[in-house]
């Protein structure tokens, strides 16, 4: 019998991020505390740009956006938001969506699997994902449970379970 396997990835559905951004923009345009403040959130290339006329307001925009991401099932670990910066008369926050597991992070996950996972489970890095394989499907489920219990500083999902 062939080995069973699954892949560990860190992917974000771009359409869901876009939907969350549009919902946040709509809420900002309708909220009373943002009336007449030129507060906005929008795509700027691959980055998300939030701007307002005060540091507290731009932080509030980030908070609204984070809330919308959570409602859409996107982990905040994949959002990399900078600090508010003064640009002319406006404060701006630039944020990006992190995708893919870096080599260092993949090695951290593989080390956890080797050290704490069941024996006979193999993990190998393949580009920006990690393939975990074993003869036993029960061992693979144990690895998934182990990794779900760990708190990594990046989002992980399990795909291609065969």
């Amino acid at each position: 019998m062939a080995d069973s396997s699954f892949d560990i990835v860190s992917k974000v559905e771009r359409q869901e991020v876009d939907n969350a951004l549009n919902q946040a923009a709509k809420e900002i345009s309708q909220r009373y505390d943002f009336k007449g403040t030129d507060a906005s959130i929008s795509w700027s290339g691959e980055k998300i740009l939030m701007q307002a006329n005060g540091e507290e307001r731009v932080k509030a925009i980030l908070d609204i956006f984070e809330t919308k991401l959570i409602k859409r099932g996107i982990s905040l670990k994949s959002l990399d938001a900078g600090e508010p910066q003064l640009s002319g008369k406006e404060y701006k926050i630039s944020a990006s969506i992190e995708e893919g597991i870096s080599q260092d992070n993949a090695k951290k996950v593989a080390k956890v699997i080797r050290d704490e996972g069941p024996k006979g489970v193999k993990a190998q890095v393949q580009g920006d994902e990690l393939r975990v394989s074993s003869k036993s499907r029960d061992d693979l489920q144990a690895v998934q449970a182990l990794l779900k219990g760990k708190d990594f500083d990046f989002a992980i999902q399990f795909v291609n379970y065969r």
Side-chain angles (χ1 to χ4, degrees), residues 7-83:
D7 294 335
I8 300 171
V9 297
S10 181
K11 289 191 168 48
V12 176
E13 188 71 40
R14 173 106 176 166
Q15 186 61 49
E16 291 295 329
V17 175
D18 200 39
N19 291 343
L21 185 129
N22 291 334
Q23 287 178 340
K26 185 174 182 183
E27 183 173 326
I28 290 163
S29 69
Q30 293 176 345
R31 273 187 34 178
Y32 179 77
D33 55 337
F34 287 115
K35 290 278 188 239
T37 61
D38 293 331
S40 68
I41 181 171
S42 62
W43 285 104
S44 174
E46 286 295 308
K47 294 205 175 286
I48 298 162
L49 187 65
M50 295 161 258
Q51 51 193 26
N53 63 359
E55 187 174 357
E56 294 304 314
R57 282 202 175 106
V58 80
K59 285 182 179 177
I61 292 171
L62 178 61
D63 187 50
I64 292 168
F65 183 54
E66 287 175 343
T67 303
K68 300 299 180 190
L69 286 174
I70 291 170
K71 283 185 180 174
R72 293 222 156 253
I74 297 171
S75 173
L76 291 182
K77 292 177 181 179
S78 60
L79 179 70
D80 183 24
E83 290 299 312

Side-chain angles (χ1 to χ4, degrees), residues 94-147:
S94 181
S96 61
I97 302 295
E98 300 293 320
E99 285 194 292
I101 299 177
S102 69
Q103 291 288 331
D104 292 342
N105 289 339
K107 287 178 183 173
K108 285 181 196 172
V109 174
K111 182 169 175 18
V112 167
I113 293 170
R114 256 194 331 270
D115 294 347
E116 300 176 35
K119 299 290 179 230
V121 174
K122 298 182 288 288
Q124 67 243 25
V125 179
Q126 295 181 331
D128 62 351
E129 57 187 43
L130 189 70
R131 163 115 349 130
V132 180
S133 58
S134 172
K135 294 211 180 298
S136 166
R137 287 183 169 226
D138 292 340
D139 287 350
L140 292 180
Q141 289 175 342
V143 168
Q144 285 183 350
L146 169 73
L147 295 178

